[in-house]
Amino acid sequence: MERKKLFTQVDGLLHGGDYNPEQWLDRPDILEKDIKYMKDAHINTVTMGVFSWAVHEPTEGNINFDWLAEIMDRLYENGIYTVLATPTGARPAWLDEKYPSAMRCNEMGVRNHHGVRHNHCMQSPEFREKVRIMDSKLAERFAGHPGLLMWHISNELGGYCYCDTCRKKFQEWLADRYDHDIEKLNKAWWTTFWSHKFNSFDQIDPPYANGENCVLGLNLDWKRFSTWSATDFMRFEIDTLRSAGAKEPTTTNFMEMFYDYDYHYMKDFIDVISWDNYPEMHNNWQTDADHLLERSFNHALFRSMKRDKPFMMMESAPGLVNWRPFNKYRRPDMHELISMQAVATGSDTVQYFQIRKSRGSSEQWHGAVIDHIGTNDTRVFKEVAKLGEDLESISEVAGTLSDNKVAIIFDWDNRWAIDDAWALAKETKKFDETCMNIYNVFMKLGVEPDIISSDMDWSGYKIICAPMLYVLHDGVGEKIADFVKNGGQFMSTYFTGYVNKDLLANLGGFPGDGLSEVFGLRSEEIDTLYPEDRNSISIIDRAGKPSHSIEVRDYQELLRDVTADVLARYNGDYVAGKPAITRNNYGDGRAYYVACRTKQEDIEFIYREMLEHAHIAYTKLPAGIEKHTRYAEDCAYDFYLNCTTEEIVVPNVTGTDLITKDKLAGSLSLKGYQIAVIRR
Ligand code: GAL
């Protein structure tokens, strides 16, 4: 595949991160040292200006960027590029004092006090005007600077605002969505239930904590609106930069499987996907390998948002974070493993929060490349510098892409709707976990899935898994039918196709929207088990006899009208003898339905079967090894990560290790936490 470089100025991978020299303007000695240390650490980029508003504009209208320009120039002279942020993630006190509408209102509609960050009202006209002035001036001054790589819009956009301006905007957004016809909204939200009918759009409130929050359609539309509102704010910032002459690419830093906004909606309005990766390593509930797999799922989610270019790991922590319940230091070599995992999964950058540790305030104990001790020989510094060197050794992977044939559907609407549904059991819905568990099964078979939305382009995929796809967007039933008809392998589970995009139950049996025919069955009941309840199913072997049995927990559906082949039947409870796993030949493909919750590894045979039908080669990897592949025009790069502390030998590896320069023709031996990048 053709390499797609993110930036014309840089040949290889980016290494660097958030840098806040504004905290040290009275210490030129420190700033001087920083540049030397950055070079020692093979750092070639910094992100500046993220929280610099109060320095940019200490009093209203008194804007001065000279400090920033000087530092940017100095960095550029030293081969260090800048990602420049708009400073809207936090506001100076004068701004909130004069324009209180910039401060968000909480879910009771009460205005916040000044403080903290990431808490602006995205719709406040006064705040927007201040942002417009700030961003235009930034672009006028820095657009086209040879050291400027890209624009970083605000920081970690998030949260909801319940102020009157947002209430009004919500009503306008609803009017647009429902064609200015309140009866359409009433129908979609099924408001005759509990007499919740509205006569006009201006009667509708956001779902205040002490107001109307039981109309599920309203709750979901509020989340959709809030996604729109944040995107609208982000677009406003981008448009402002562009009108003031900025031509560089834009990004905003997303967060891991962030719940507030639908990133699949936001992704289309920025040029490059970036995200902030803060794993909780060496924790007391998971192995490192399992925790890293969760990270890998996140990377895959962000990578799959724009499959035609690499993404960026915009932030990660050198050493440790300081805001988890327990803030444990990364053990030796873990830094390289976490960082290389990002590159393995498709990131062209390893960036940190932060280059130099702040001396005071809430993040003073958060990991940094340069610690309070102020030297370049700390354990963390040396690990960062070693990684910097290794990133240079593998620089040829920059711009290479993944080419995966398996995808898992992960819709934000669906997550929200499942959690808000008065059904199943609150603690065991576990949609995210279910998707991750399926991902893990493929990963352990050495096959990397993409994580996509039901609305994205599915071309190129041969296998799609859509567990618990409770909400079916318009047209998705048909899309699934076409996918299978044309030879695709599709897998779904209990709690699929229950409602349409408005959360109205599909009538005529689940899964709805034509899917009963695709799967060859209908689901009549979904039964919720208590955490200690167990049932089991027996897999039917080729001779039609029950073979081994598999444990069922949490959920079991009662199926009827089954015309599909039955692969497993329930053993106990009131569903005993009924079909539990089915496979339906439909057109040229197959549709699998798993009607109950099992451990995913217990039903690995389904995934293997799908891979075989799809002619995708797989090999079970040694436990604790992760493998990812990036493709170039003429070669491929296999990344092997040993996510354990033990030495592991991986069989059947051939090619050249870009870090050790070893030529491999047989097996690869990796020490604990070691990684290898093999060109083949
Ligand atoms: C990120 C944030 C940074 C910094 C970092 C600390 O979420 O964007 O500004 O706070 O966390 O881990």
Side-chain angles (χ1 to χ4, degrees):
M1 290 169 85
E2 200 192 326
R3 281 187 171 77
K4 296 280 170 57
K5 293 270 174 75
L6 285 180
F7 307 105
T8 47
Q9 301 98 311
V10 189
D11 254 351
L13 301 160
L14 288 183
H15 184 216
D18 277 31
Y19 180 48
N20 301 101
E22 68 270 36
Q23 295 170 15
W24 304 93
L25 292 180
D26 58 347
R27 291 292 306 269
D29 57 317
I30 284 198
L31 299 179
E32 208 44 51
K33 226 186 209 178
D34 286 347
I35 296 190
K36 176 188 174 324
Y37 286 177
M38 284 189 223
K39 289 165 82 174
D40 291 347
H42 304 261
I43 281 175
N44 57 6
T45 181
V46 294
T47 304
M48 288 200 289
V50 177
F51 295 114
S52 305
W53 199 323
V55 179
H56 287 334
E57 190 177 12
T59 55
E60 187 170 11
N62 170 22
I63 298 182
N64 188 333
F65 302 126
D66 289 351
W67 69 274
L68 176 62
E70 211 176 289
I71 293 171
M72 228 168 122
D73 290 347
R74 287 272 297 123
L75 289 165
Y76 178 59
E77 285 157 17
N78 283 278
I80 301 167
Y81 290 89
T82 296
V83 172
L84 189 55
T86 61
T88 57
R91 304 173 307 282
W94 63 258
L95 198 153
D96 285 354
E97 184 183 37
K98 179 144 179 211
Y99 306 103
S101 72
M103 294 179 283
R104 200 170 278 182
C105 286
N106 69 14
E107 66 281 7
M108 307 281 274
V110 178
R111 178 101 37 213
N112 288 345
H113 297 286
H114 167 73
V116 208
R117 62 175 188 174
H118 301 159
N119 53 6
H120 47 278
C121 169
M122 310 268 184
Q123 298 297 333
S124 154
E126 289 88 1
F127 181 50
R128 287 229 180 168
E129 181 52 16
K130 293 283 113 188
V131 172
R132 193 190 60 72
I133 297 169
M134 171 56 64
D135 289 2
S136 318
K137 293 216 179 297
L138 266 179
E140 282 159 17
R141 177 81 187 250
F142 296 104
H145 187 294
L148 175 63
L149 282 182
M150 74 185 315
W151 295 94
H152 177 295
I153 305 300
S154 203
N155 193 64
E156 296 190 336
L157 294 165
Y160 305 141
C161 176
Y162 297 75
C163 75
D164 284 342
T165 307
C166 288
R167 177 178 179 272
K168 189 92 202 77
K169 282 278 171 188
F170 181 43
Q171 292 165 352
E172 287 166 13
W173 181 90
L174 288 170
D176 265 4
R177 183 174 173 85
Y178 295 99
D179 302 328
H180 296 263
D181 178 353
I182 195 67
E183 280 321 314
K184 268 199 183 168
L185 175 142
N186 280 316
K187 246 192 155 151
W189 291 1
W190 209 251
T191 53
T192 31
F193 182 81
W194 285 1
S195 261
H196 280 167
K197 260 185 102 113
F198 296 102
N199 297 329
S200 69
F201 287 95
D202 53 20
Q203 289 172 341
I204 302 172
D205 286 338
Y208 294 125
N210 57 349
E212 178 57 88
N213 52 37
C214 284
V215 174
L216 303 186
L218 184 156
N219 294 351
L220 183 59
D221 275 344
W222 171 250
K223 291 197 171 66
R224 289 170 172 152
F225 161 77
S226 297
T227 296
W228 169 84
S229 175
T231 311
D232 181 58
F233 180 78
M234 182 182 84
R235 295 179 69 186
F236 169 77
E237 288 212 68
I238 294 172
D239 291 348
T240 305
L241 293 172
R242 295 269 180 256
S243 340
K247 303 231 165 13
E248 297 78 10
T250 57
T251 192
T252 191
N253 46 345
F254 288 156
M255 292 169 275
E256 56 188 51
M257 291 167 85
F258 184 59
Y259 199 75
D260 293 0
Y261 305 148
D262 179 351
Y263 282 161
H264 280 135
Y265 176 80
M266 297 179 80
K267 71 178 185 344
D268 293 334
F269 302 98
I270 41 172
D271 299 317
V272 180
I273 300 296
S274 70
W275 81 285
D276 299 345
N277 176 26
Y278 290 106
E280 209 169 346
M281 294 318 305
H282 322 300
N283 61 49
N284 64 357
W285 69 90
Q286 249 175 339
T287 62
D288 286 336
D290 285 344
H291 194 59
L292 282 163
L293 261 182
E294 272 185 34
R295 291 293 114 181
S296 157
F297 181 91
N298 276 278
H299 284 307
L301 172 68
F302 294 109
R303 174 194 62 229
S304 312
M305 287 183 184
K306 289 192 195 286
R307 287 162 66 196
D308 61 346
K309 58 174 86 157
F311 68 93
M312 301 172 76
M313 180 169 74
M314 184 57 83
E315 289 183 28
S316 60
L320 80 172
V321 297
N322 74 332
W323 42 263
R324 295 274 190 202
F326 293 86
N327 297 296
K328 196 167 186 172
Y329 258 102
R330 310 264 162 78
R331 293 333 191 212
D333 299 327
M334 182 46 84
H335 180 73
E336 175 126 0
L337 183 60
I338 292 171
S339 306
M340 284 294 190
Q341 186 190 40
V343 180
T345 49
S347 172
D348 265 8
T349 76
V350 172
Q351 290 158 283
Y352 310 121
F353 178 86
Q354 52 194 335
I355 304 283
R356 177 177 276 278
K357 215 172 245 194
S358 71
R359 186 160 184 206
S361 207
S362 52
E363 293 192 327
Q364 70 187 132
W365 307 116
H366 188 285
V369 178
I370 307 167
D371 212 325
H372 295 132
I373 195 170
T375 62
N376 60 353
D377 62 356
T378 59
R379 178 176 75 86
V380 168
F381 188 94
K382 287 196 269 186
E383 289 205 26
V384 168
K386 156 86 170 53
L387 171 76
E389 248 176 74
D390 290 347
L391 289 173
E392 284 171 4
S393 308
I394 65 162
S395 63
E396 63 184 82
V397 306
T400 58
L401 299 172
S402 305
D403 183 21
N404 299 317
K405 303 292 175 220
V406 177
I408 297 168
I409 291 181
F410 181 85
D411 283 354
W412 259 262
D413 268 13
N414 192 52
R415 295 173 88 187
W416 294 329
I418 288 175
D419 287 346
D420 208 29
W422 295 26
L424 311 185
K426 262 200 160 55
E427 297 92 73
T428 58
K429 287 179 176 171
K430 297 186 181 166
F431 169 70
D432 293 2
E433 209 177 302
T434 306
C435 293
M436 286 194 278
N437 289 341
I438 293 176
Y439 176 83
N440 294 352
V441 176
F442 281 109
M443 288 298 291
K444 287 176 182 172
L445 291 173
V447 175
E448 213 174 339
D450 282 347
I451 311 299
I452 60 170
S453 78
S454 63
D455 300 320
M456 278 162 76
D457 178 9
W458 293 356
S459 56
Y461 295 117
K462 295 180 169 175
I463 298 176
I464 295 181
C465 298
M468 301 176 77
L469 188 61
Y470 173 66
V471 181
L472 290 179
H473 290 172
D474 289 352
V476 169
E478 205 181 321
K479 199 167 164 183
I480 295 173
D482 286 346
F483 177 80
V484 182
K485 221 182 269 167
N486 294 321
Q489 313 292 312
F490 196 90
M491 181 267 202
S492 207
T493 68
Y494 55 91
F495 217 46
T496 286
Y498 278 43
V499 297
N500 68 9
K501 68 166 189 322
D502 298 322
L503 305 184
L504 295 177
N506 286 323
L507 302 178
F510 310 131
D513 200 18
L515 289 181
S516 294
E517 202 194 318
V518 178
F519 288 102
L521 53 83
R522 285 198 288 172
S523 165
E524 186 175 316
E525 295 180 7
I526 182 159
D527 182 37
T528 301
L529 304 179
Y530 279 85
E532 53 286 348
D533 288 341
R534 293 286 180 274
N535 194 358
S536 68
I537 55 176
S538 280
I539 307 299
I540 318 281
D541 65 18
R542 283 184 208 281
K545 298 248 157 42
S547 65
H548 65 287
S549 113
I550 289 171
E551 189 175 88
V552 169
R553 53 174 73 186
D554 299 339
Y555 303 108
Q556 51 188 12
E557 275 183 347
L558 172 67
L559 301 182
R560 56 181 273 181
D561 309 327
V562 176
T563 53
D565 295 337
V566 177
L567 305 185
R569 289 184 187 278
Y570 290 105
N571 290 328
D573 211 342
Y574 77 109
V575 286
K578 301 279 188 194
I581 301 181
T582 60
R583 179 189 55 215
N584 198 35
N585 294 328
Y586 184 80
D588 294 336
R590 291 175 179 79
Y592 292 79
Y593 194 85
V594 180
C596 53
R597 182 173 285 170
T598 67
K599 283 197 185 140
Q600 292 302 333
E601 57 267 34
D602 288 348
I603 53 168
E604 193 194 85
F605 73 96
I606 295 180
Y607 302 104
R608 285 174 183 269
E609 196 179 293
M610 286 198 289
L611 288 165
E612 279 153 24
H613 286 312
H615 307 291
I616 299 173
Y618 64 88
T619 329
K620 190 120 186 162
L621 292 168
I625 293 288
E626 245 183 66
K627 182 185 172 201
H628 303 271
T629 304
R630 295 180 64 160
Y631 296 88
E633 298 83 351
D634 46 358
C635 63
Y637 300 93
D638 291 328
F639 288 71
Y640 291 93
L641 318 182
N642 180 352
C643 303
T644 74
T645 49
E646 306 300 318
E647 179 155 359
I648 298 180
V649 176
V650 189
N652 305 322
V653 180
T654 49
T656 308
D657 185 330
L658 297 186
I659 295 175
T660 62
K661 317 284 181 238
D662 290 346
K663 294 227 178 320
L664 299 156
S667 63
L668 167 71
S669 170
L670 289 173
K671 296 205 192 67
Y673 295 157
Q674 199 189 338
I675 63 110
V677 184
I678 311 293
R679 181 183 48 219
R680 63 166 159 93

